[in-house]
Amino acid sequence: MTGNLFFFLAFLTLFAGIGVVVSKNPVYSILFMILTFFALTGHYILLNAQFVAAVNFIVYMGAIMVLFLFVIMFLNMREDTEEHKSNLSKFAAAIAGGILLVIMIAALKDVSTGGYATDFNSQVGLVENLGKVLFRDYLLPFELASVLFLAAMAGAVMLGKREPGEQNRF
């Protein structure tokens, strides 16, 4: 049962991830991203990391993705005002994507696909253990992430700020 649920969530994650990249409408892309985070929350629950699942659900799906959706909806994203990309930029994007694919295949070629680990600690994802590891081993990345979030909030405020004389379009 758990294996089938894992494979369903993995398929859903890959499908929604591809939908994020392929979708031409940015609103649909954000909706696919919310579906991706929903599937990842399911993975966290399968790994017995309920706190991480709750944080992923509340912070990413509940706050950040909704904020992205509102920002995209407020921006003027019409096709007639969007400049068309040249064939050179499409060719460069295809080459960069191909290089990324080769790097990912090279990185994953030696990964073992063996069975489950026998020394799996089911308590590792709980909030007490997560807090200990976060503040003992990963304090600097945690603080850098908070600075990054602060910069993102300042950027969102600057994007939402109206220029003097600008009228509301809605």
Side-chain angles (χ1 to χ4, degrees):
M1 177 67 183
T2 304
N4 291 337
L5 187 60
F6 170 78
F7 285 116
F8 172 72
L9 289 173
F11 171 75
L12 190 64
T13 304
L14 289 175
F15 172 75
I18 290 171
V20 169
V21 175
V22 173
S23 179
K24 291 189 182 273
N25 190 340
V27 175
Y28 292 146
S29 182
I30 292 295
L31 293 175
F32 277 122
M33 190 175 285
I34 290 172
L35 184 63
T36 303
F37 283 128
F38 181 74
L40 289 176
T41 300
H43 282 287
Y44 290 135
I45 291 172
L46 285 178
L47 290 171
N48 200 20
Q50 291 88 2
F51 176 72
V52 178
V55 167
N56 185 45
F57 187 81
I58 293 169
V59 173
Y60 285 105
M61 290 174 56
I64 293 176
M65 286 298 111
V66 173
L67 179 68
F68 280 2
L69 190 60
F70 280 123
V71 167
I72 286 176
M73 288 171 70
F74 284 129
L75 293 177
N76 191 9
M77 301 291 282
R78 293 185 197 155
E79 287 186 22
D80 56 342
T81 60
E82 185 177 321
E83 63 184 63
H84 295 283
K85 296 178 177 52
S86 67
N87 287 336
L88 181 63
S89 64
K90 290 178 183 176
F91 183 69
I95 288 176
I99 290 172
L100 180 64
L101 179 67
V102 168
I103 289 172
M104 288 179 63
I105 289 172
L108 294 175
K109 74 175 185 177
D110 294 331
V111 173
S112 69
T113 56
Y116 296 103
T118 57
D119 58 344
F120 177 70
N121 184 4
S122 66
Q123 306 299 317
V124 74
L126 299 180
V127 66
E128 181 180 349
N129 296 328
L130 183 66
K132 285 179 184 175
V133 170
L134 191 64
F135 286 106
R136 185 184 57 219
D137 299 336
Y138 300 104
L139 183 62
L140 181 63
F142 181 74
E143 292 297 328
L144 290 176
S146 66
V147 171
L148 182 65
F149 281 132
L150 181 65
M153 284 191 298
V157 169
M158 292 302 293
L159 281 175
K161 185 178 175 185
R162 291 190 184 138
E163 296 293 326
E166 184 180 2
Q167 295 181 356
N168 194 358
R169 290 179 283 173
F170 301 106

